[in-house]
């Protein structure tokens, strides 16, 4: 592969490789620099309240990141299984996957989060009473784990559809050729279809990550001390809504635009020519 | 007389209401080259695809190298013995030419990386494009892609090679390079079933030409007899259309 890059630089058919992360190749990094500079300047020049906000909310930033990354990892697994289910020839698997996608997509994430957090413990406790199991009766939900689970269930449905569309974008002949060489369906999926589908769905997958990072702010309603919730706590204590939400917005913005740059870098790295 | 390597008995296949094959019987001996011609929709490609079960069929039997193709589990065993080359090449777009040749060797034939690579390089040399090993399919011309596809099928050491209109998607100037590879393969004694309207290839390499129409075999003969003295009216009509010069 290395050799080839040298042989065909810049030609229409040349292998496209992004290479280094540099401002020259991706001018949007200037936006990241600008936003970072604003944050740093505010913190340095106006430590009250901006430095205080950042210090107060830093554990919230960490929680937001943990919830986002952990959920995203689980979403990828659910999305792969759901997407394979949505193209399954087995009617039961197809039916279950489709039902999951259709139902979950039709309910707002906020409602799902609140439902999981407030309703599911009651159901588990009632079940415990009925079965007379002490462990279930004393069940108390862990906010972060419940939130991650609720987000995974919801976003997993969207991701399933992305994976399905990616698999269906790979020409049928690829699977046929693989099968005709004696590969099993599973081997053909793993070595031929999914690697090609993955490159197609990278942009929407990246999109989901950025949307997820922002939607993770909804977990603040179910007792998770994320960036949004910490911002609200700071505002209530100091009565300065303008500064607080300006800084919280900047902190979200820096996270999302860095994520967007990383996504775009990965996209460039993994492009290849299709015929 | 040894058993024919491919035995097709009264095979019927329908797509919904369309009868694609209406009872086809055909034996192919080891080392034989059979060219199948016929108008579009005559079932010739479907017949080919039934031989390695890319299509299922409703009635009849197909026995390949002593193994009966039924709905039991030996399908991957048969596919290892039968290579197929498609009209649209179907090279794995995310892999280089060399990797295209190595993938199935590694995971189906369980060959070591070194062995698979050695075989792949040798086959790319055999089809005349050793220098394209590191190229991706999109960087190759149609003729080069089809030659890689032939090499990919050969890398599995098949006993039978099926060609489904291998030159139909090619620009005219690239047809010869693919037919040359096929002709030399025929000379080496490979058993080949070729759906193609390349009459030059049929004359040069085939022992038998089969004419199919509306899901049936209408006529079969040696290339000489087939082109010079076709017996059936429908064959004559068809030949007059494709040999329009």
């Amino acid at each position: 592969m290395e050799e080839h890059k040298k042989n065909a630089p810049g030609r229409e058919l040349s292998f496209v490789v992004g290479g280094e992360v540099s401002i020259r190749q991706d001018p949007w990094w200037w936006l990241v620099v600008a936003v970072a500079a604003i944050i740093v300047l505010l913190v340095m020049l106006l430590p009250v309240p901006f430095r205080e906000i950042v210090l107060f909310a830093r554990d919230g930033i960490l929680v937001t990141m943990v919830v986002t990354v952990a959920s995203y990892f689980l979403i990828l697994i659910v999305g792969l299984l759901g997407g394979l289910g949505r193209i399954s020839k087995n009617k039961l698997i197809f039916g279950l996957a489709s039902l999951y996608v259709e139902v979950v997509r039709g309910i707002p994430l906020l409602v799902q989060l609140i439902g999981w957090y407030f309703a599911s413990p009651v159901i588990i406790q009632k079940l415990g009473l009925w079965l007379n199991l002490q462990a279930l009766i004393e069940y108390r939900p862990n906010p972060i784990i419940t939130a991650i689970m609720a987000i995974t269930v919801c976003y997993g449905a969207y991701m399933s559809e992305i994976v399905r569309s990616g698999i269906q974008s790979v020409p049928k002949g690829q699977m046929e050729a693989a099968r005709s060489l004696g590969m099993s369906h599973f081997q053909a999926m793993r070595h031929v279809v999914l690697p090609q589908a993955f490159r197609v769905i990278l942009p929407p997958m990246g999109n989901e990550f950025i949307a997820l990072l922002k939607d993770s702010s909804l977990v603040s309603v179910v007792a998770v001390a994320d960036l949004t919730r910490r911002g609200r706590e700071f505002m209530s204590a100091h009565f300065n809504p303008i500064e607080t939400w300006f800084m919280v917005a900047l902190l979200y913005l820096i996270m999302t635009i860095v994520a967007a740059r990383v996504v775009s870098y990965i996209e460039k790295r993994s492009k290849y020519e299709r015929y | 007389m040894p058993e024919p390597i491919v035995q097709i008995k009264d095979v019927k296949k329908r797509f919904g209401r369309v009868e694609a094959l209406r009872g086809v019987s055909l034996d192919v001996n080891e080392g034989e080259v059979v060219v199948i011609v016929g108008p579009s929709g005559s079932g010739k490609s479907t017949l080919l695809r039934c031989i390695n079960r890319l299509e299922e069929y409703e009635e009849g039997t197909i026995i390949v190298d002593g193994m009966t193709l039924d709905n039991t589990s030996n399908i991957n065993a048969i596919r290892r013995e039968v290579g197929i080359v498609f009209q649209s090449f179907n090279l794995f777009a995310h892999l280089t030419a060399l990797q295209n040749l190595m993938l199935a060797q590694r995971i189906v034939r369980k060959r070591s990386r070194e062995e698979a690579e050695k075989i792949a390089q040798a086959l790319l040399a055999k089809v005349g494009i050793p220098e394209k090993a590191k190229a991706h399919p999109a960087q190759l011309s149609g003729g080069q892609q089809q030659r890689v596809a032939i090499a990919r099928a050969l890398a599995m050491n098949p006993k039978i090679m099926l060609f489904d209109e291998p030159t139909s998607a090619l620009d005219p100037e690239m047809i010869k390079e693919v037919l040359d590879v096929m002709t030399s393969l025929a000379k080496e004694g490979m058993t080949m079933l070729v759906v193609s309207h390349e009459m030059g290839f049929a004359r040069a390499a085939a022992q038998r030409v089969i004419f199919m129409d509306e899901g049936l075999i209408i006529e079969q003969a040696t290339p000489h007899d087939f082109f010079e003295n076709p017996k059936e009216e429908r064959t004559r009509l068809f030949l007059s259309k494709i040999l329009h010069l």
Side-chain angles (χ1 to χ4, degrees), chain A residues 4 174 176 179 191 275, chain B residues 49 79 91-92 94 139:
Chain A
H4 201 83
Q174 296 283 309
E176 272 186 0
R179 296 304 305 272
H191 295 283
Y275 59 94
Chain B
R49 292 163 60 87
R79 283 179 178 152
L91 290 180
F92 304 138
H94 61 306
Q139 296 161 326

Side-chain angles (χ1 to χ4, degrees), chain B residues 57-106:
Chain B
Y57 51 92
E58 283 90 39
E59 279 178 55
T61 48
I62 298 181
I63 301 171
V64 175
D65 195 24
M67 295 180 281
T68 307
L69 271 80
D70 46 27
N71 292 323
T72 52
S73 56
N74 60 357
I75 185 61
N76 289 335
I78 289 176
R79 283 179 178 152
R80 282 197 287 269
E81 309 302 331
V82 183
I84 184 163
V85 174
F86 302 92
Q87 182 178 354
S88 50
F89 328 133
N90 297 345
L91 290 180
F92 304 138
H94 61 306
L95 301 178
T96 63
L98 192 71
Q99 290 166 336
N100 262 278
L101 267 64
M102 287 172 65
L103 181 63
Q105 291 193 66
R106 301 263 293 133

Side-chain angles (χ1 to χ4, degrees), chain B residues 168-182:
Chain B
S168 303
L170 296 177
D171 291 333
E173 76 270 22
M174 293 169 184
I175 291 176
K176 187 175 177 294
E177 65 191 49
V178 171
L179 290 180
D180 285 348
V181 170
M182 289 169 61

Side-chain angles (χ1 to χ4, degrees), chain B residues 20-84:
Chain B
L21 299 175
R22 298 191 295 154
V24 173
S25 298
L26 174 67
D27 286 350
V28 180
N29 294 313
E30 193 153 8
E32 196 178 10
V33 177
V34 178
V35 169
I36 306 172
V37 300
S40 94
S42 59
K44 51 197 193 308
S45 287
T46 306
L47 179 66
L48 215 58
R49 292 163 60 87
C50 281
I51 295 173
N52 70 352
R53 265 270 304 285
L54 286 176
E55 302 287 353
E56 295 183 1
Y57 51 92
E58 283 90 39
E59 279 178 55
T61 48
I62 298 181
I63 301 171
V64 175
D65 195 24
M67 295 180 281
T68 307
L69 271 80
D70 46 27
N71 292 323
T72 52
S73 56
N74 60 357
I75 185 61
N76 289 335
I78 289 176
R79 283 179 178 152
R80 282 197 287 269
E81 309 302 331
V82 183
I84 184 163

